[in-house]
Amino acid sequence: MTTISINSPTAELQALDAAHHMHPFTANADLAKKGARVITRAEGNWLTDSEGHRILDAMAGLWCVNIGYGRKELAEVAARQMMDLPYYNTFFQTTHVPAIQLAEKIAQLAPGDLNHVFFAGSGSEANDTNLRMVRHYWAAKGKPEKQIVISRKNAYHGSTMAGMSLGGMAGMHKQGGVIQGIHHINQPNWWSEGGDMTPEDFGLARAQELEQAILELGEDRVAAFIGEPVQGAGGVIIPPETYWPEIQRICDKYEILLIVDEVICGFGRTGNWFGSQTFNLRPDIMTIAKGLSSGYLPIGGSVVSDEVAGVIGSAGDFNHGYTYSGHPVAAAVALENLRIIEDEGIVERVRDDIGPYLAQAWHSLGDHPLVGETKIVGMMASLALVPVKGSRAPFAYDAGTVGWRCRERCFGNDLIMRHVGDRMIVSPPLTLTHEEVDILAARARKALDETYEGLKADDMLKPAA
Ligand code: PMP
């Protein structure tokens, strides 16, 4: 094995990476030519790369490092737990203290009667659990024909077979096929798809597609609806106010289980513990991951209502589980992460202090000639890039052409901001300081300026016909 360290030359690390490491969601042959950016350290809300750049991480890793990097408490808890009990499973009528404690803590934090946790290693795995659980639930209630799960186009629910199929990403569905019995309705993305409707009318219309789908598919065949409170990977799409109340009404009316995917929105991101509280939802199941451990170790889960857990629990063995369900080290680290969020009042901070401060800074970008709209809830935000100020018309180029240019200018200015199509998105650590919000906004504005100048120079400020 080649001896390398974080002090090795970047080119050597990149060459070795390209030789053996296949990256997710990446054209690896193209990346091999360019070389991946090598991250060597992280502290607080900042990354350091192998070239010595200090980069503001306005994506909190992949929407997950809610309490920021470099928390010694988490490392210490992990080390202690590794010495005490590094691994044991929770199959075969066995349990352990970290899993017991974490399940209790999650039940305490979760809204309503979501009092039971089935652990997984990630958000994708948890959604696999959810698909099996809701189908098994209805079968156990004597309605085995209730199998269909309704989701939305442009939703993201993970990358496993079930997660990908539940999600609504066309580019993913094309590769390898999808699981049967999942139906996708349109998303509540008013900016891109709202036409001449008001956001309120559009939100209602898109929610009512759920009712139409239930009636078309047959009420007796639909098991559940799944949705993210705010579509994250879909571009931080915050639905119109009319949307979620109508979805909740329809789920109640037709006895459809509501699965709320809180993988991004959970653990403070929207200014409450869960997005379900921000949007006044009553889920039967919540998917959790990411912020549960602030990404320090992989862990996810399904948080399940008394009713659903009761039925599943009384129907014999639920033949489902992961080697790492409730992994003791991951569970102990998650528990410590939740303690920190509570003790430091991080959720309240998002709601009352840093969230509103980021909102002000984010909306101030709205005067830029390239920015169509700015949207934010808590600490997740997006803005639409437009060729013509004052119009919702997209660019004349494939979606993402301009967004990618802007993202490159962000990276060039040592700011991690992502693009989804031609929307720019941020989801920073919840521990961002006021000064760091100012830096974020200044760097974002500089990146927007540079993108704008580049588009002008290349004569690309053109709307689609
Ligand atoms: N659901 C949502 C809403 C997500 O954003 C993600 C990850 N971005 C997932 C599920 C999948 O989680 P994981 O990558 O941990 O499998």
Side-chain angles (χ1 to χ4, degrees):
M1 202 175 73
T2 318
T3 306
I4 55 168
S5 77
I6 57 172
N7 300 316
S8 300
T10 303
E12 186 188 343
L13 296 171
Q14 288 174 328
L16 203 52
D17 183 72
H20 303 292
H21 180 193
M22 297 173 75
H23 290 248
F25 287 93
T26 299
N28 277 284
D30 292 345
L31 179 65
K33 286 185 214 133
K34 187 179 168 203
R37 186 198 279 255
V38 183
I39 303 299
T40 50
R41 304 202 83 89
E43 182 67 33
N45 305 315
W46 295 82
L47 308 169
T48 306
D49 73 9
S50 55
E51 300 287 278
H53 293 114
R54 286 195 76 233
I55 308 157
L56 183 62
D57 184 10
M59 283 306 301
L62 268 180
W63 327 74
C64 55
V65 188
N66 287 13
I67 64 169
Y69 299 93
R71 296 286 192 145
K72 290 195 180 50
E73 305 95 311
L74 268 57
E76 284 160 9
V77 161
R80 219 176 305 134
Q81 187 60 45
M82 281 201 183
M83 296 305 294
D84 291 347
L85 180 71
Y87 176 76
Y88 202 72
N89 68 74
T90 51
F91 292 35
F92 315 127
Q93 312 200 347
T94 312
T95 191
H96 48 67
V97 169
I100 299 169
Q101 281 196 311
L102 183 60
E104 188 209 14
K105 187 69 204 170
I106 292 167
Q108 181 211 322
L109 295 171
D113 68 347
L114 300 181
N115 288 319
H116 312 269
V117 187
F118 194 104
F119 286 113
S122 66
S124 301
E125 283 182 10
N127 278 328
D128 271 56
T129 300
N130 293 341
L131 179 60
R132 297 201 62 214
M133 182 140 52
V134 297
R135 288 178 169 176
H136 181 48
Y137 167 83
W138 286 115
K141 285 185 62 118
K143 297 185 177 175
E145 63 289 353
K146 269 173 96 72
Q147 292 281 296
I148 299 172
V149 176
I150 300 178
S151 177
R152 287 100 52 91
K153 293 175 186 163
N154 199 36
Y156 190 84
H157 297 299
S159 216
T160 53
M161 209 57 203
M164 175 274 301
S165 303
L166 287 167
M169 297 291 173
M172 295 175 80
H173 289 181
K174 270 191 251 158
Q175 298 175 341
V178 294
I179 292 175
Q180 294 304 299
I182 298 169
H183 181 86
H184 295 86
I185 59 174
N186 285 305
Q187 58 170 334
N189 180 346
W190 175 79
W191 180 263
S192 296
E193 301 176 5
D196 294 334
M197 295 175 94
T198 64
E200 292 71 26
D201 287 348
F202 175 75
L204 214 51
R206 284 288 157 101
Q208 284 163 355
E209 285 195 20
L210 175 59
E211 189 155 29
Q212 288 151 21
I214 292 167
L215 294 174
E216 276 163 30
L217 296 163
E219 186 182 345
D220 51 350
R221 293 178 60 220
V222 179
F225 173 78
I226 183 167
E228 305 150 80
V230 175
Q231 289 156 261
V236 185
I237 309 299
I238 303 169
E241 277 175 19
T242 46
Y243 182 76
W244 278 121
E246 184 67 0
I247 292 281
Q248 181 73 63
R249 181 191 70 76
I250 295 164
C251 287
D252 292 348
K253 177 171 174 192
Y254 294 98
E255 270 199 275
I256 305 297
L257 295 176
L258 174 59
I259 307 169
V260 179
D261 186 333
E262 296 268 6
V263 167
I264 287 176
C265 291
F267 306 102
R269 173 75 43 207
T270 68
N272 286 291
W273 275 96
F274 296 97
S276 292
Q277 294 154 331
T278 302
F279 294 94
N280 205 15
L281 294 169
R282 279 178 282 105
D284 298 287
I285 300 177
M286 291 193 315
T287 320
I288 55 171
K290 293 190 191 281
L292 170 58
S293 65
S294 283
Y296 278 62
L297 281 177
I299 184 165
S302 306
V303 194
V304 181
S305 70
D306 287 342
E307 154 68 17
V308 173
V311 170
I312 297 283
S314 307
D317 285 354
F318 180 32
N319 295 315
H320 179 76
Y322 308 107
T323 299
Y324 302 125
S325 285
H327 190 285
V329 183
V333 165
L335 202 59
E336 180 65 4
N337 170 61
L338 299 181
R339 184 196 64 72
I340 289 174
I341 295 177
E342 258 188 336
D343 285 2
E344 295 184 8
I346 288 177
V347 178
E348 296 76 14
R349 182 171 186 274
V350 170
R351 192 188 59 212
D352 302 330
D353 174 21
I354 201 66
Y357 191 75
L358 178 64
Q360 215 178 8
W362 193 253
H363 290 312
S364 78
L365 298 171
D367 67 4
H368 195 278
L370 206 50
V371 175
E373 71 163 358
T374 52
K375 297 287 275 183
I376 182 164
V377 57
M379 294 287 274
M380 61 194 300
S382 61
L383 57 81
L385 301 174
V386 289
V388 181
K389 187 90 182 162
S391 158
R392 274 154 61 212
F395 284 91
Y397 311 96
D398 287 345
T401 308
V402 173
W404 183 83
R405 281 178 163 232
C406 186
R407 192 203 65 170
E408 290 301 289
R409 293 323 313 142
C410 292
F411 281 18
N413 284 292
D414 291 339
L415 171 68
I416 304 271
M417 170 154 80
R418 263 173 65 183
H419 78 105
V420 176
D422 294 326
R423 285 188 92 81
M424 304 308 299
I425 61 174
V426 292
S427 171
L430 310 183
T431 49
L432 212 63
T433 64
H434 286 233
E435 295 70 37
E436 287 164 347
V437 167
D438 297 344
I439 295 169
L440 189 165
R443 290 186 183 181
R445 183 172 287 278
K446 185 150 180 277
L448 287 166
D449 285 345
E450 291 172 5
T451 307
Y452 187 66
E453 290 309 318
L455 291 171
K456 256 203 313 210
D458 295 341
D459 194 22
M460 284 178 65
L461 285 166
K462 292 182 191 151

